[in-house]
Amino acid sequence: YSTIDGILFHDDVTLSDYEDASPQALAAYRQAGWPDNVLTLRQDATLRAAWTRSKIKLLDDFSLELAEIVRTYQPTLKTARNLYAGVVMQPESSAWFGQSFDSALAHYDSVAVMAMPYMENAKDPDAWMQQLFHRVAAVPGALDKTVFELQSVDWRNRQPIPTSKLAETVRQLNTWGARHVAYYPDNLFEDQPQLQPFKRVFSMTSQPERYGVIHPNDPSLLPFPTVVPVVYRQGAGWIRTGLKENFQ
């Protein structure tokens, strides 16, 4: 088996405000003393809130149960939970996704918030990002556990977000006080985002006020290793494609 340091439970760990209407779910509603009808549950505010809380707990319990199984082999396993930004910015949207920012902070080591204004069709991406940050910062202790997960591709037109724009966003998040920033996806074979300019905003040398001045010969600044593209062929294993680049 492979060593696994952590598991990210992705954004598809969700139940909408119309789920679940399976026979098993309806039986569970009856057992809880609720109507076994989704429309009835949705129409009553008190029932709907209780229903939403039960779905949030169900998904958290299921995720953590899976994590405990992995801990049988990896006792130091860390967990993270992906959340839609709307769950942070509009708490009422917890009912739409079966997700809760407060619950995620309480149950997982990290919470990866999808800080993706283009996916959310934000009219002003910069203002949207600032609003998201301040909503996170308003929750005591949340910045220490929250990862701001940026998008490197605009999936509306399948075009990459310019590296300069991503770098600008990371700098701004750092300036506001974000502790953890990530991005997705990383296309290393096409160098997107461009590693050379982009890695600088993730370097400790870019934040001397936080980490102090780091000498150029510090081991943490060693060059990146050579990346060799490979393909997998049945019966032959991993084969080099012949391309070779050093993305320093």
Side-chain angles (χ1 to χ4, degrees):
Y1 58 87
S2 299
T3 299
I4 299 174
D5 292 324
I7 293 179
L8 170 65
F9 295 99
H10 216 252
D11 52 88
D12 51 359
V13 181
T14 181
L15 287 170
S16 79
D17 51 341
Y18 283 94
E19 294 178 301
D20 186 4
S22 67
Q24 295 84 353
L26 298 180
Y29 303 156
R30 289 191 295 270
Q31 186 176 3
W34 301 338
D36 58 355
N37 183 291
V38 169
L39 294 179
T40 303
L41 286 168
R42 285 174 48 81
Q43 290 169 357
D44 185 290
T46 301
L47 284 174
R48 181 177 180 177
W51 184 37
T52 297
R53 288 193 298 270
S54 73
K55 288 189 286 185
I56 291 170
K57 184 178 185 303
L58 173 69
L59 294 175
D60 282 339
D61 288 350
F62 179 59
S63 299
L64 296 174
E65 180 182 347
L66 296 177
E68 284 305 308
I69 294 173
V70 179
R71 285 196 178 98
T72 303
Y73 307 99
Q74 310 290 345
T76 60
L77 183 83
K78 299 293 185 181
T79 60
R81 177 74 181 273
N82 237 54
L83 298 183
Y84 288 101
V87 176
V88 179
M89 302 176 81
Q90 299 172 272
E92 65 273 17
S93 69
S94 287
W96 310 340
F97 301 110
Q99 298 180 345
S100 164
F101 187 43
D102 290 339
S103 182
L105 289 170
H107 289 98
Y108 303 88
D109 296 295
S110 299
V111 180
V113 176
M114 298 168 69
M116 303 179 178
Y118 307 101
M119 187 179 76
E120 299 290 345
N121 292 311
K123 293 181 179 179
D124 186 337
D126 294 336
W128 184 94
M129 189 69 70
Q130 186 173 21
Q131 183 183 11
L132 174 63
F133 173 82
H134 287 304
R135 290 295 180 90
V136 170
V139 179
L143 283 176
D144 291 331
K145 299 185 72 172
T146 299
V147 180
F148 292 87
E149 184 181 357
L150 310 180
Q151 62 183 112
S152 62
V153 173
D154 187 340
W155 290 292
R156 297 173 299 182
N157 54 24
R158 300 187 179 183
Q159 293 300 308
I161 305 298
T163 301
S164 58
K165 180 58 184 176
L166 282 171
E168 177 187 336
T169 301
V170 174
R171 289 192 194 96
Q172 192 62 71
L173 284 166
N174 287 337
T175 299
W176 292 332
R179 305 284 192 274
H180 315 286
V181 181
Y183 64 93
Y184 168 86
D186 181 68
N187 188 340
L188 71 136
F189 298 121
E190 295 185 9
D191 194 23
Q192 177 59 38
Q194 294 173 303
L195 182 58
Q196 181 61 32
F198 197 36
K199 71 178 182 180
R200 294 175 187 146
V201 295
F202 286 98
S203 170
M204 291 187 293
T205 59
S206 69
Q207 301 176 65
E209 70 284 356
R210 181 180 295 181
Y211 300 110
V213 177
I214 299 178
H215 192 274
N217 294 327
D218 190 283
S220 65
L221 302 180
L222 290 175
F224 280 71
T226 298
V227 176
V228 181
V230 295
V231 296
Y232 184 80
R233 294 178 184 168
Q234 189 171 5
W238 292 101
I239 306 296
R240 294 189 182 192
T241 63
L243 299 175
K244 188 174 181 180
E245 291 188 51
N246 191 306
F247 292 106
Q248 292 186 33

